[in-house]
Amino acid sequence: MSIPSDYNIVVIGLGYIGSKHLLPGYEMLLGDKITTNVFGIKATDRNLEELRARLPFSVSVGNTAEVLRKAKPDIIIMCPTPKQIPIIAKEILLPYFNEAREKGIPLPDIYTFGPSPDPKFYYDLLGNDINCVKYLPSMAEPFKGVPLQKVGGSFLSFVPEYPFPEDRRQRAIDFSDLFGRTFIVPHEMSLVGLSAKNTAHTCFEICYALADVMAELGYSVTTSQIGSAMRAAFRKHLNLEGEGLYPCSIEDVPAEIRDFLEKLTVAWFEGILQYIISRGCEEELAREFHAANFEVWLLTIQLATREELEVTTKNHATKGGVNEKAIETFMSYFDSQLRDALRKHLDNTLPVSFFDTAEGISYAINLTVNRHAHRLAK
């Protein structure tokens, strides 16, 4: 049974995800009804006028309960910070859901964004007759005409003991598919996938370090060229046919460092992969979602200038978050070692065991980041 498109959506939290990243999703679900059938709610009046000028739907402040009663939504998009979610759920969603049951109003599906809480939290609080699914979108977006979102992996977590009606489940999946390649995984595995994606983001730092050393030694090699060579090595390692979304080549870097880059890329990919598998993920699934995110970062490096990459990193690395933890750990335990290794390689004095160490370091960074993600999720 198909779902009529004449329904309301309430968006709680209008940060980057709720107000910008998901906008094409609202349009996909509602078409031109987005102007009348989407209701956005902010916690404060910060940037209120800018949002009202930019967004095609109404934006209000601090009146979530009132908007829910008026709109009777079919979908609630939950985009506050993870620490705010339990408060909003207990003080606003719980009374509304109880009132809706009493009045015979259909209960809305809940699409919750962010690493926590576990979607089971909503069932435990609101009742087992609800539908709730957690999203961790890839966050990849079209860049310089290349649709990066077609490559990046997005994680979708249903609660198995509370299955969605099939039409609503498919709607949730379709919404996810708009922002990346969807992998349906349990909540715990979504945190493993998130930590792996952020560990793979350190490919940015790898390219910075290698470009710096090459410049120091008189070579002219950009981070973009290194990203292209690493991506070619990655695709060769996985036996991927064709050139994917954009051409790449190991020959984009000087011949002297091609072997070094190939071995480093494989070691970095495999170390992260082995940590994912160690957490109980089936190997084929682990390889698929890890490859999706590893490639999207390498493709980003290839397409962007170093200055653009540094801006992107600032946007991704929320203070205290998992991406910042990945970068911090890399810089503390591998940046100087990597720079020294490239110098030794060019002097023909690098032991082959360096690449074993690199694989172990990427495993260790992933472990650190995953534990940090779990601490944040509590």
Side-chain angles (χ1 to χ4, degrees), residues 5 32 52 79 94 131 134-135 169 181 209 245 261 294 356 363 365 368:
S5 60
D32 57 9
R52 283 177 169 166
C79 291
L94 181 58
N131 298 314
K134 189 188 83 168
Y135 290 78
R169 176 183 170 87
R181 182 182 171 192
L245 291 179
L261 264 188
F294 203 85
D356 302 326
Y363 182 104
I365 293 175
T368 302

Side-chain angles (χ1 to χ4, degrees), residues 177-247:
D177 285 344
L178 198 62
F179 306 104
R181 182 182 171 192
T182 298
F183 295 91
I184 299 175
V185 298
H187 165 71
E188 283 296 315
M189 196 52 60
S190 75
L191 297 181
V192 174
L194 177 66
S195 66
K197 179 172 78 169
N198 283 281
T199 303
H201 192 284
T202 57
C203 287
F204 284 36
E205 282 65 41
I206 288 175
C207 291
Y208 300 158
L210 300 183
D212 287 347
V213 172
M214 294 300 284
E216 166 196 312
L217 297 176
Y219 293 85
S220 178
V221 185
T222 65
T223 53
S224 177
Q225 290 169 321
I226 295 169
S228 173
M230 289 183 67
R231 185 163 159 256
F234 155 80
R235 293 184 65 84
K236 176 183 175 183
H237 177 59
L238 293 189
N239 296 313
L240 298 177
E241 295 182 357
E243 58 189 22
L245 291 179
Y246 198 81

Side-chain angles (χ1 to χ4, degrees), residues 27 90 95 123 138 152 168 204 217 253 315 342 347 370:
E27 295 169 343
K90 291 170 186 174
Y123 288 92
S138 79
R168 290 176 175 270
F204 284 36
L217 297 176
V253 297
N315 292 336
L342 182 56
D347 285 340
N370 187 50

Side-chain angles (χ1 to χ4, degrees), residues 123-144:
Y123 288 92
D124 293 341
L125 176 69
L126 303 176
N128 59 15
D129 57 341
I130 69 166
N131 298 314
C132 179
V133 61
K134 189 188 83 168
Y135 290 78
L136 284 176
S138 79
M139 303 303 292
E141 295 179 319
F143 186 69
K144 297 185 178 178

Side-chain angles (χ1 to χ4, degrees), residues 32-274:
D32 57 9
K33 294 186 175 68
I34 187 175
T35 58
T36 57
N37 292 31
V38 177
F39 303 85
I41 306 156
K42 281 179 54 62
T44 71
D45 60 5
R46 183 170 175 266
N47 298 326
L48 178 61
E49 294 311 314
E50 181 272 325
L51 284 172
R52 283 177 169 166
R54 177 169 62 81
L55 294 174
F57 52 81
S58 68
V59 177
S60 56
V61 177
N63 61 339
T64 306
E66 177 186 336
V67 171
L68 288 172
R69 290 189 179 96
K70 178 181 177 182
K72 300 179 181 62
D74 201 53
I75 299 174
I76 295 174
I77 307 281
M78 288 289 286
C79 291
T81 64
K83 289 184 178 179
Q84 291 175 315
I85 287 177
I87 298 169
I88 294 170
K90 291 170 186 174
E91 295 183 0
I92 298 174
L93 296 189
L94 181 58
Y96 174 74
F97 274 66
N98 287 338
E99 182 180 312
R101 289 186 187 96
E102 290 173 5
K103 295 183 177 180
I105 299 169
L107 300 180
D109 295 350
I110 300 172
Y111 294 1
T112 187
F113 287 78
S116 64
D118 183 328
K120 193 172 184 301
F121 159 81
Y122 290 92
Y123 288 92
D124 293 341
L125 176 69
L126 303 176
N128 59 15
D129 57 341
I130 69 166
N131 298 314
C132 179
V133 61
K134 189 188 83 168
Y135 290 78
L136 284 176
S138 79
M139 303 303 292
E141 295 179 319
F143 186 69
K144 297 185 178 178
V146 179
L148 296 181
Q149 75 280 6
K150 291 186 177 181
V151 177
S154 293
F155 300 108
L156 198 59
S157 299
F158 294 94
V159 179
E161 56 263 46
Y162 302 115
F164 268 52
E166 187 53 40
D167 54 349
R168 290 176 175 270
R169 176 183 170 87
Q170 190 57 53
R171 179 173 68 176
I173 294 170
D174 291 343
F175 191 74
S176 177
D177 285 344
L178 198 62
F179 306 104
R181 182 182 171 192
T182 298
F183 295 91
I184 299 175
V185 298
H187 165 71
E188 283 296 315
M189 196 52 60
S190 75
L191 297 181
V192 174
L194 177 66
S195 66
K197 179 172 78 169
N198 283 281
T199 303
H201 192 284
T202 57
C203 287
F204 284 36
E205 282 65 41
I206 288 175
C207 291
Y208 300 158
L210 300 183
D212 287 347
V213 172
M214 294 300 284
E216 166 196 312
L217 297 176
Y219 293 85
S220 178
V221 185
T222 65
T223 53
S224 177
Q225 290 169 321
I226 295 169
S228 173
M230 289 183 67
R231 185 163 159 256
F234 155 80
R235 293 184 65 84
K236 176 183 175 183
H237 177 59
L238 293 189
N239 296 313
L240 298 177
E241 295 182 357
E243 58 189 22
L245 291 179
Y246 198 81
C248 58
S249 174
I250 193 68
E251 295 181 5
D252 282 342
V253 297
E256 297 95 314
I257 65 168
R258 290 173 192 168
D259 181 62
F260 179 91
L261 264 188
E262 283 202 50
K263 289 176 179 175
L264 176 63
T265 302
V266 171
W268 209 248
F269 177 85
E270 288 295 328
I272 298 170
L273 176 63
Q274 291 309 312

